[in-house]
Amino acid sequence: MELEEQVIAITGASSGIGEATSRLLAARGARVVMSARRVDALEQIVNEIAADDGNATACPGDVTRPEDLRRLVELCVDRFGRLDALVANAGIATVGPLADGTLAEWNAMIDVNLVR
């Protein structure tokens, strides 16, 4: 698959798989629009990608907020004229027995990991 000039939005891009995917796709010529809640980490990664001659743009956001997702798509379209692919990578989990967790933790995990 040819990635040169493809516009790819990635959620959960400030660490882990989202960060690694963003770096790899940018290194292969994609225009990467990165979204995550941790703005400082997101901007640092965007700057590092740019320093390596990659094309990355930060779009801070929270996948549980529909307006943030709309803004992510709008940024892709406004800046590059289109959105070719979305890597819906954002996710959270709690560690430990389910019975020890709280309803708020469960709801947060469902809100981030599943589309409602």
Side-chain angles (χ1 to χ4, degrees):
M1 176 182 189
E2 183 64 39
L3 294 175
E4 192 71 32
E5 304 295 317
Q6 293 292 300
V7 179
I8 304 173
I10 302 175
T11 64
S14 64
S15 64
I17 293 170
E19 176 185 352
T21 302
S22 298
R23 290 180 187 276
L24 178 64
L25 293 174
R28 294 193 177 173
R31 298 170 176 168
V32 179
V33 181
M34 302 169 61
S35 181
R37 295 179 296 175
R38 296 181 323 158
V39 178
D40 291 345
L42 189 65
E43 290 177 351
Q44 178 180 341
I45 297 162
V46 166
N47 290 335
E48 291 170 3
I49 289 172
D52 288 334
D53 295 323
N55 190 331
T57 302
C59 184
D62 183 332
V63 296
T64 67
R65 298 172 43 118
E67 60 272 19
D68 288 0
L69 294 173
R70 277 192 293 278
R71 188 167 36 81
L72 174 61
V73 173
E74 288 170 358
L75 176 61
C76 292
V77 173
D78 290 347
R79 181 156 303 167
F80 302 110
R82 66 185 193 279
L83 172 59
D84 296 307
L86 168 67
V87 178
N89 169 74
I92 61 171
T94 57
V95 178
L98 181 61
D100 293 344
T102 67
L103 181 58
E105 290 171 331
W106 178 256
N107 285 336
M109 189 170 55
I110 295 300
D111 288 345
V112 171
N113 297 351
L114 302 176
V115 177
R116 287 188 176 205

